[in-house]
Amino acid sequence: MRTRCEHVIVEGKEAACMFSMAGTQRAEFLGVPPSDKQVRVDGMIFFLFKGPKIIERWELIDILSAAKQLGVRQQLSAIKNAVLEYGEVKANKQLGEKISGLFNKHLSTEQV
């Protein structure tokens, strides 16, 4: 996996970086088994510093674009797994089950 920071902005106690990651999917990614497909993922990350320490971090990653590069079934699986990893969903079991049910209607009965 190659990671490239394309733009960096630092202002006061905040910093932002627009990045891209590219490589061949040879391991599980978002619950999708290895496909040997080339994938590029873009994103942004923001930091808040207190002195030399990072005290907050926010990330935006284009998971949908990555999922599209893996194929239709893999796309649904990747989106489902990314949504289920979201903090609020992980904390709410009922919501997680509802989201899983919505995706499972469109996926085969195989475990994804």
Side-chain angles (χ1 to χ4, degrees), residues 4-27:
R4 189 173 130 190
C5 205
E6 296 168 2
H7 299 284
V8 177
I9 298 171
V10 179
E11 189 171 302
K13 59 183 182 175
E14 299 175 322
C17 171
M18 189 170 85
F19 65 88
S20 65
M21 298 181 291
T24 303
Q25 187 208 6
R26 293 200 172 104

Side-chain angles (χ1 to χ4, degrees), residues 1 19-22 29 39-43 61-63 65-66 69:
M1 176 74 62
F19 65 88
S20 65
M21 298 181 291
F29 175 66
V39 179
R40 178 188 161 111
V41 180
D42 295 311
I61 300 173
D62 189 0
I63 297 298
S65 174
Q69 297 169 60

Side-chain angles (χ1 to χ4, degrees), residues 35-83:
S35 67
D36 283 328
K37 291 185 179 179
Q38 291 289 315
V39 179
R40 178 188 161 111
V41 180
D42 295 311
M44 294 182 286
I45 187 165
F46 303 89
F47 300 97
L48 178 62
F49 293 88
K50 185 173 186 179
K53 295 185 179 186
I54 297 170
I55 59 170
E56 290 185 38
R57 183 186 84 196
W58 307 274
E59 293 178 33
L60 299 167
I61 300 173
D62 189 0
I63 297 298
L64 180 58
S65 174
K68 284 182 179 179
Q69 297 169 60
L70 298 174
V72 177
R73 179 175 165 69
Q74 290 85 354
Q75 176 182 344
L76 285 174
S77 296
I79 294 168
K80 172 188 168 188
N81 293 333
V83 169

